[in-house]
Amino acid sequence: MLLCGLVLEVYSVRTMIIGKSAVENEVKEVTDESSLNELVISAPRSLWMEFILHFSTLSIYTCFWFVARTREFNALSKKKFTPWLWFFVPFIVIAQLIALPKFNNALSELAEEHNVSIWNAWYGGWTLGVVLITLAMNISDKIEFPGWTYLVGVILWSILFTVIQAQINKVKENLRDVTFKGSRHNYTKLEWFFVVPLFPLSLIFMFYIAIDPLFNKQLSTLSENTLYTDPQNIYSLPIIGKGWSIVENGTHSNGEAELELQGPLSDMFFIIFSHGVDESIESISHWRTEQLYDELSGVKCEENRSFAKLTLSIVSHVQCSGRNIGDSVLATVSLIETDKGIYELYGMLSSVKYSFKNNESMMKKMSKGFEPL
């Protein structure tokens, strides 16, 4: 009996050990299966970091943001977005009218599934704001707006995507059975690689196109269709079109100009130089055209010479067309002979397509109207 009891006891202990081992194995299998099914998505992003990414890349980051978010929506729900197509959504208004409501509906459904209360993006104006800014930016490729409007547009764009990131963060913070990758309060190495140089560069760029022009000192405005006459009665210049003004010397030159005129566009101006009696029309014309060939691409120049209307002196008109960073450029050089030497009217117009075409003839007429008295 004792032997039988001992055998039974050993058998019982062995059974308990085997049972425990089986349970542990089963738990391990369940854990392993659970870990295999667990989703890995990016961690909720600190909002100020999100703003800097959109702003410092001048909204290019938004393209990658859409790709990443639609991938997450596919993983977290039954949506079947094609992430790479969303890369182009920030550029195309028509695509946004279809895509953005779908994006917002997917976010709302995901929030409802996880008992998260978020805003209604369409009626809240988020989608409308994105579409209007995109439309304005597309128009600005054809018609020039004041530089400060571009700064406002990029800031508003960055705010809009920071706001919707806050809504996405709410959903992520309420998810279960997911693993977050990355840090909420730190960029990835790749993001740091872009943010470190691009953020200061974007600030400099914005200052140059949006803030600096606001500090141009306007001395006086010039009325449309009038004739500007030099106070010393040396030359005259017709003022054609609206928006011309006399600005402080050094605005567009090195400060050695006789007179500087600012046109209605940011890169539209005339500068008058006095070259004295030691220079000739030939030498100045050659020097200017060589300078333009060095600075612009696809340059074509033509020169015409004639006698002045009121004197027997020679007048030279040079017109050069080219391109600079994609924009059309017109440069004009008008040279006149006077008793005090050669005077030069140097003009420059650079702008986007329609603004350039609308002001090109105005620049040419003003340049040809530069005459000695």
Side-chain angles (χ1 to χ4, degrees):
M1 291 289 295
L2 181 60
L3 181 60
C4 291
L6 183 60
V7 171
L8 288 172
E9 186 175 348
V10 171
Y11 178 79
S12 176
V13 171
R14 180 175 177 274
T15 302
M16 290 177 61
I17 294 173
I18 292 174
K20 182 179 179 181
S21 177
V23 171
E24 289 177 347
N25 287 336
E26 185 178 350
V27 170
K28 183 178 180 181
E29 289 177 3
V30 172
T31 303
D32 290 343
E33 184 179 354
S34 176
S35 62
L36 288 174
N37 294 331
E38 191 172 74
L39 297 174
V40 179
I41 61 175
S42 61
R45 171 81 77 177
S46 178
L47 298 183
W48 68 268
M49 295 174 63
E50 196 71 17
F51 177 88
I52 288 176
L53 276 172
H54 289 281
F55 179 85
S56 61
T57 59
L58 303 181
S59 306
I60 297 300
Y61 166 72
T62 310
C63 303
F64 299 94
W65 183 91
F66 267 123
V67 173
R69 298 297 80 78
T70 50
R71 282 178 178 169
E72 290 176 348
F73 286 178
N74 284 348
L76 295 171
S77 65
K78 296 180 180 179
K79 296 296 180 183
K80 298 296 180 183
F81 291 124
T82 305
W84 68 269
L85 286 176
W86 287 78
F87 183 89
F88 305 98
V89 169
F91 305 116
I92 307 170
V93 172
I94 295 176
Q96 290 176 0
L97 295 174
I98 301 171
L100 295 184
K102 290 184 177 180
F103 185 89
N104 295 325
N105 289 337
L107 177 58
S108 298
E109 290 173 8
L110 198 59
E112 185 178 355
E113 180 182 346
H114 295 278
N115 299 317
V116 180
S117 175
I118 65 170
W119 57 317
N120 188 316
W122 179 261
Y123 293 104
W126 183 86
T127 300
L128 182 61
V130 172
V131 169
L132 289 178
I133 293 174
T134 305
L135 183 62
M137 291 302 177
N138 288 344
I139 293 174
S140 70
D141 289 339
K142 304 292 186 297
I143 301 173
E144 182 176 319
F145 295 135
W148 61 265
T149 60
Y150 187 72
L151 172 61
V152 171
V154 173
I155 290 176
L156 290 178
W157 181 274
S158 302
I159 291 174
L160 284 172
F161 280 90
T162 302
V163 168
I164 199 169
Q165 182 65 47
Q167 310 307 313
I168 293 173
N169 283 354
K170 288 181 181 180
V171 176
K172 286 186 174 182
E173 289 164 355
N174 213 46
L175 294 177
R176 299 294 180 267
D177 299 327
V178 297
T179 299
F180 292 124
K181 64 178 179 180
S183 170
R184 180 173 187 145
H185 302 289
N186 196 11
Y187 291 125
T188 64
K189 291 181 180 179
L190 182 62
E191 288 170 339
W192 277 117
F193 178 79
F194 286 103
V195 166
V196 169
L198 289 181
F199 184 64
L201 286 176
S202 64
L203 292 177
I204 295 171
F205 174 71
M206 289 299 179
F207 177 83
Y208 175 76
I209 69 167
I211 307 301
D212 188 54
L214 299 178
F215 290 97
N216 289 345
K217 188 174 181 179
Q218 188 180 89
L219 302 180
S220 63
T221 58
L222 298 171
S223 300
E224 180 182 8
N225 300 325
T226 57
L227 187 68
Y228 174 83
T229 302
D230 171 54
Q232 299 179 36
N233 210 38
I234 297 175
Y235 58 82
S236 64
L237 174 68
I239 306 301
I240 301 174
K242 298 178 180 179
W244 286 97
S245 61
I246 299 175
V247 293
E248 190 175 36
N249 268 4
T251 301
H252 298 291
S253 73
N254 59 3
E256 297 179 356
E258 293 282 314
L259 180 70
E260 295 191 31
L261 305 180
Q262 175 66 53
L265 304 179
S266 59
D267 285 330
M268 183 179 183
F269 57 85
F270 280 112
I271 308 172
I272 296 179
F273 294 99
S274 173
H275 293 282
V277 296
D278 296 329
E279 296 285 352
S280 66
I281 286 180
E282 289 79 6
S283 63
I284 299 171
S285 176
H286 177 75
W287 172 65
R288 279 295 186 197
T289 53
E290 287 295 316
Q291 184 184 51
L292 292 170
Y293 274 105
D294 290 339
E295 294 178 354
L296 305 176
S297 61
V299 178
K300 295 181 180 179
C301 294
E302 59 179 26
E303 181 180 9
N304 294 304
R305 295 191 182 186
S306 60
F307 287 105
K309 294 178 180 179
L310 301 179
T311 67
L312 294 178
S313 60
I314 298 295
V315 177
S316 171
H317 296 293
V318 180
Q319 294 181 356
C320 296
S321 60
R323 301 191 72 82
N324 183 28
I325 317 178
D327 288 340
S328 298
V329 177
L330 170 69
T332 65
V333 180
S334 294
L335 300 165
I336 59 175
E337 293 179 331
T338 71
D339 294 338
K340 294 187 177 182
I342 305 298
Y343 275 76
E344 175 194 8
L345 174 70
Y346 176 74
M348 177 67 71
L349 167 64
S350 177
S351 188
V352 293
K353 186 176 180 180
Y354 292 125
S355 293
F356 180 85
K357 286 184 177 181
N358 290 338
N359 291 277
E360 183 180 16
S361 60
M362 178 196 305
M363 289 286 293
K364 291 179 178 180
K365 289 178 181 178
M366 290 180 65
S367 178
K368 289 183 178 180
F370 185 56
E371 290 277 343
L373 297 175

